[in-house]
Amino acid sequence: QPPAGAAFKVNTHSVHALWGVTQIKKPAIDKILATQLVGGKSVSNVRIKIRSRWSDLLITVLTAGIIVPRSVTVEGVIQ
């Protein structure tokens, strides 16, 4: 049974360099969750999805893998 509450979904990006070996930009997941926790509420059913969208793949191909962006989606329920 899913928890009752308001669902949220936030999209952000992470950027890697050198074919994904080093990380340039981390997604600020702690800040995303902190903005959802206003008023002493709790967050449940948190899901983090990382994927490459068409634009991410295009940038990766155009830079020959030197820059590799990823799309990150954080979803959950505020109780």
Side-chain angles (χ1 to χ4, degrees):
Q1 177 177 355
F8 71 92
K9 184 176 183 179
V10 179
N11 295 317
T12 187
H13 287 78
S14 68
V15 180
H16 301 271
L18 303 173
W19 307 278
V21 174
T22 61
Q23 192 169 27
I24 296 173
K25 180 187 171 212
K26 288 182 165 183
I29 295 172
D30 54 345
K31 291 180 183 178
I32 292 170
L33 293 176
T35 58
Q36 303 298 325
L37 294 174
V38 177
K41 298 180 180 179
S42 65
V43 175
S44 62
N45 284 3
V46 176
R47 291 186 208 123
I48 300 172
K49 296 179 185 177
I50 302 171
R51 62 180 167 214
S52 294
R53 294 188 178 178
W54 170 249
S55 58
D56 298 336
L57 293 174
L58 180 64
I59 292 171
T60 301
V61 169
L62 289 176
T63 62
I66 294 177
I67 301 205
V68 182
R70 295 279 186 254
S71 298
V72 179
T73 303
V74 180
E75 318 178 304
V77 177
I78 302 170
Q79 296 179 330

